Amino acid sequence: MKAEKSPIQSVMSWIRRQPPKVKAFLGVVSAMTVLVFLRVIVHEHDNLFIASEAVHALGISVLIYKLTKEKTCAGISLKTQELTALFLAVRLYCSFVMEFDFHTLLDSATLVTTLWVIYMIRLKLRPTYMEDKDNFAIYYVVIPCAVVALLIHPTTRHHIVNRLLWAFCVYLEAVSVLPQLRVMQNTKIVEPFTAHYVFALGIARFLSCAHWILQVLDSRGRLLTALGYGLWPLMVLLSEIVQTFILADFCYYYVQSLMGGQLVLRLPSGVV
C-alpha cells in the first residue's frame, strides 16, 4: 500500500508540476511574504545583517567539517572561495578607513576562515580538488565589477580610491558565488555538505537583502539618500537583490530534496 504524502510533500509535488513562470511568481510572492513577516517580528533590522553573517559563518563551518573529517574538497569551488576572500579583504579595508564597527569584526572572522579553506584546498587536499569542473573564468566577474565600480560608485566625501574599492566589493560580492554554481552545473550531483554550504549562502544573502530593503522602507528612502546621489544607491539595492536571486533556484531544489528525504542533491538540466 502506497504511503500517503504529507501536506508539505503534496505542496512541493504540486509546485514541481508548474511551469517556470508560475514557479517564479510563487517565489516572488513567498519572498515578499517573508519580508513582511520579518518586518513585523524584527524591530532592529541591523540584527538581520548580523544574522546574515552568522548564517554565512555556519555555512563555512560546514565546509571546515567536510575538509577536516572527510579529507576531501570535491565539489567545492576554489575560485568562489578566492573571490569571497577578495571582496572580504576589500570590505575590511573600507571598514577600517571609513566606518569601523561590529560588522568589521564579523568580516574579519569570516575572512580568516575563508583563507583557511583556500589553504586546505590549495595545499592539503589538492588531489581531491575538481579543477576541471571549476572552470569559470574569474576575470569574467572581476573585470566587469571593476569597470562598473569606476562608472558607478559612492558620492560621499571619502577619498576616491576608497569609494571605488567600496563599490567594487559590493558588486563582487553579488556574483562571487557564480564559480560554485558552475561546479554544481558541471557535476549535476551535489553531496550533502556542499549543498548545506551553498544553501547557507542563499539564506545569508536573503537576510542581507531583507536588511537593506526593510531599512529603505523604514527610512522612507532616506537611507538611499544617505548613501549618496546618482545611480549608486540603486546599484547597492540591485546588487543585494541579484545575489539573492542567483541562488534562489538552487535553494528551491535543496528544500525539495530535503523534503523528499534525499541526502544527495541531484540537479535537473538547466538549473544554476
Side-chain angles (χ1 to χ4, degrees):
M1 184 176 178
K2 192 176 181 179
E4 291 186 6
K5 291 183 178 181
S6 68
I8 294 179
Q9 288 177 325
S10 298
V11 171
M12 294 299 294
S13 178
W14 177 81
I15 293 175
R16 247 190 334 262
R17 296 193 299 270
Q18 303 310 304
K21 288 183 179 180
V22 174
K23 290 180 181 178
F25 173 75
L26 292 173
V28 171
V29 170
S30 300
M32 292 177 66
T33 302
V34 174
L35 277 177
V36 172
F37 178 71
L38 289 174
R39 190 176 187 184
V40 171
I41 66 170
V42 181
H43 301 293
E44 180 55 59
H45 295 147
D46 273 346
N47 291 336
L48 290 175
F49 189 82
I50 295 174
S52 169
E53 293 287 333
V55 173
H56 189 182
L58 181 62
I60 293 179
S61 299
V62 171
L63 277 191
I64 291 174
Y65 181 85
K66 171 186 170 72
L67 297 176
T68 55
K69 297 298 181 181
E70 297 197 344
K71 304 297 182 182
T72 176
C73 61
I76 301 175
S77 170
L78 173 62
K79 293 178 180 179
T80 280
Q81 298 304 313
E82 290 174 338
L83 290 175
T84 300
L86 178 58
F87 83 71
L88 282 172
V90 174
R91 192 161 74 187
L92 269 175
Y93 166 78
C94 293
S95 295
F96 278 115
V97 301
M98 298 170 74
E99 48 174 7
F100 185 92
D101 56 18
F102 180 66
H103 300 152
T104 307
L105 300 178
L106 294 175
D107 279 343
S108 300
T110 305
L111 176 59
V112 169
T113 52
T114 301
L115 290 174
W116 183 85
V117 170
I118 292 173
Y119 164 77
M120 291 295 290
I121 295 174
R122 278 196 170 278
L123 299 178
K124 295 294 185 179
L125 303 174
R126 186 76 186 191
T128 63
Y129 171 48
M130 303 168 68
E131 189 171 2
D132 59 321
K133 304 296 183 182
D134 195 11
N135 56 7
F136 190 96
I138 59 176
Y139 56 80
Y140 282 163
V141 293
V142 173
I143 294 177
C145 287
V147 172
V148 176
L150 285 171
L151 298 174
I152 306 173
H153 50 266
T155 54
T156 57
R157 296 181 178 179
H158 300 96
H159 193 278
I160 182 62
V161 172
N162 297 336
R163 288 186 279 135
L164 291 175
L165 288 174
W166 182 9
F168 174 71
C169 74
V170 168
Y171 301 143
L172 187 60
E173 180 182 12
V175 294
S176 60
V177 75
L178 288 178
Q180 179 63 58
L181 296 183
R182 172 61 68 84
V183 171
M184 296 188 300
Q185 186 182 54
N186 289 336
T187 59
K188 293 301 180 187
I189 297 178
V190 187
E191 57 82 35
F193 289 115
T194 304
H196 298 334
Y197 163 69
V198 178
F199 180 71
L201 284 185
I203 297 300
R205 301 287 167 86
F206 176 77
L207 290 173
S208 177
C209 182
H211 163 259
W212 277 98
I213 292 175
L214 294 181
Q215 289 279 67
V216 170
L217 290 175
D218 284 356
S219 66
R220 297 181 180 179
R222 289 192 299 273
L223 177 62
L224 293 179
T225 304
L227 290 173
Y229 54 84
L231 293 175
W232 166 245
L234 293 178
M235 288 298 287
V236 172
L237 197 56
L238 180 62
S239 297
E240 294 290 336
I241 295 173
V242 165
Q243 62 181 318
T244 300
F245 276 93
I246 283 176
L247 287 166
D249 202 22
F250 172 84
C251 289
Y252 163 74
Y253 285 101
Y254 174 88
V255 173
Q256 176 182 296
S257 178
L258 201 63
M259 292 300 176
Q262 300 176 10
L263 293 178
V264 177
L265 177 58
R266 289 175 171 81
L267 298 174
S269 299
V271 176
V272 305

